[in-house]
Amino acid sequence: MSVRRKVAAYVALTKPRVIELLLVVTAPTMILASNGLPDLWLLVATLIGGAMSAGSAGAFNCYIDRDIDRVMKRTKGRPLVTGELTDREALVFAYALGIASILWLGVFTNWVAAGLSLLAILLYVVFYSLILKRRTAQNIVWGGVAGCMPVLIGWAAVTGSLDWAPFILFLVIFLWTPPHYWPLSMKYKEDYAAAGVPMLAVVRGRAQVGLQVILYAYATVAASLLLIPVAGMGLLYSSVALVTGVWFIAECHRLYSLAIRGVEVSPMRVFHGSIVYLSLLFLAVGIDPLLPF
């Protein structure tokens, strides 16, 4: 195998799309924590460390889930399934990247951020991948805690401590995760069933999944509005949170309406829409502190 293909396989092991989404929420949180633009090197160092941490967690997950990845069509191209990497190579890489991320953040940001990074890896690898994923339909709810950690890491990197604002952002991502991921599980219901993973779409009907998506969407938007009084957000954030929130809820209602009528649904529309919603919301988080109103 060529060096280029080997490097590409290691990159794939880190789940780059997940890393992209995590970094999208980290940078705006750091701007909010600084109440303006943070030190450029601190921002870059935090994003590098965060990417390494998330990549390590992703690599551990690929190693742990290599048996079910071989069964699911969605994951059949992952490097441990194709044989581009051995199990040993993946495990060594995951440990090395994780240790490097903690040391990097500790040296170039602070040890509070580094400690939170270690906690994020443990939550994703142990709490979600090893304990929850194959045991309960609530796996993505509580396992999603790991995906909320970047906002705490970003805030701590700037301030060396935590405050109410990052915990509100943590809550937003926590509540957003089910309406983001459950539509995906509707799309790949047969895959998860074949792999023996009890995603909500596998153990409940479409209507029940759609209802849960709506309830979590409402809770997500409510949490996003809490940031306005807590962090003193201005007109831009307030407007974006309200407008995109109404749109996100409307999309979830549309999914539920189709599900209860027994007609063909398009769950990936909500899946992709949820990414747009969160991206726009955090873009507003990052821009709002830079404006005079």
Side-chain angles (χ1 to χ4, degrees):
M1 184 185 299
S2 68
V3 174
R4 184 176 180 179
R5 284 186 61 190
K6 198 76 168 180
V7 170
Y10 277 115
V11 171
L13 201 66
T14 66
K15 300 185 177 181
R17 290 184 180 178
V18 175
I19 293 176
E20 289 174 11
L21 192 59
L22 296 179
L23 297 185
V24 161
V25 304
T26 303
T29 301
M30 294 181 70
I31 294 173
L32 182 62
S34 302
N35 196 30
L37 292 175
D39 176 78
L40 181 58
W41 167 244
L42 179 64
L43 176 64
V44 171
T46 306
L47 293 180
I48 291 173
M52 292 166 65
S53 175
S56 169
F60 273 118
N61 179 259
C62 285
Y63 174 81
I64 294 165
D65 284 351
R66 63 195 186 282
D67 57 333
I68 62 176
D69 283 347
R70 293 187 174 96
V71 177
M72 297 175 62
K73 295 176 183 177
R74 185 174 70 89
T75 55
K76 63 182 180 181
R78 288 181 176 172
L80 290 181
V81 178
T82 61
E84 292 173 296
L85 293 175
T86 67
D87 293 352
R88 178 180 174 80
E89 285 174 329
L91 194 58
V92 170
F93 176 73
Y95 271 111
L97 195 59
I99 293 169
S101 73
I102 295 162
L103 293 175
W104 175 277
L105 287 170
V107 171
F108 294 112
T109 64
N110 56 62
W111 290 104
V112 177
L116 290 169
S117 176
L118 173 60
L119 179 60
I121 295 173
L122 292 175
L123 283 170
Y124 190 70
V125 175
V126 179
F127 189 53
Y128 172 65
S129 299
L130 289 175
I131 298 176
L132 293 177
K133 185 170 183 177
R134 308 189 193 204
R135 288 182 171 87
T136 172
Q138 295 297 306
N139 48 20
I140 202 63
V141 178
W142 299 106
V145 170
C148 309
M149 294 299 289
V151 294
L152 301 187
I153 295 169
W155 190 280
V158 172
T159 67
S161 62
L162 294 173
D163 205 337
W164 283 111
F167 282 110
I168 296 295
L169 294 173
F170 179 101
L171 183 62
V172 168
I173 301 173
F174 176 77
L175 294 169
W176 167 87
T177 302
H180 165 64
Y181 205 90
W182 278 337
L184 182 71
S185 73
M186 291 176 71
K187 169 74 172 178
Y188 295 102
K189 175 183 175 180
E190 301 305 324
D191 262 9
Y192 284 114
V197 179
M199 287 294 177
L200 189 65
V202 175
V203 300
R204 293 285 188 270
R206 294 190 310 171
Q208 182 62 32
V209 176
L211 177 60
Q212 291 296 316
V213 166
I214 287 176
L215 294 176
Y216 273 98
Y218 272 106
T220 302
V221 175
S224 73
L225 297 177
L226 280 177
L227 191 66
I228 298 171
V230 170
M233 304 304 288
L235 181 62
L236 175 71
Y237 175 83
S238 303
S239 301
V240 171
L242 187 60
V243 172
T244 59
V246 169
W247 169 72
F248 181 42
I249 289 172
E251 285 295 316
C252 294
H253 268 286
R254 180 180 180 276
L255 176 67
Y256 178 59
S257 176
L258 293 173
I260 61 175
R261 282 155 44 198
V263 299
E264 184 179 353
V265 299
S266 51
M268 295 305 286
R269 174 169 168 165
V270 175
F271 173 78
H272 292 300
S274 67
I275 296 174
V276 173
Y277 164 73
L278 194 73
S279 299
L280 290 175
L281 186 71
F282 272 85
L283 182 62
V285 169
I287 294 176
D288 196 272
L290 306 178
L291 301 177
F293 53 85

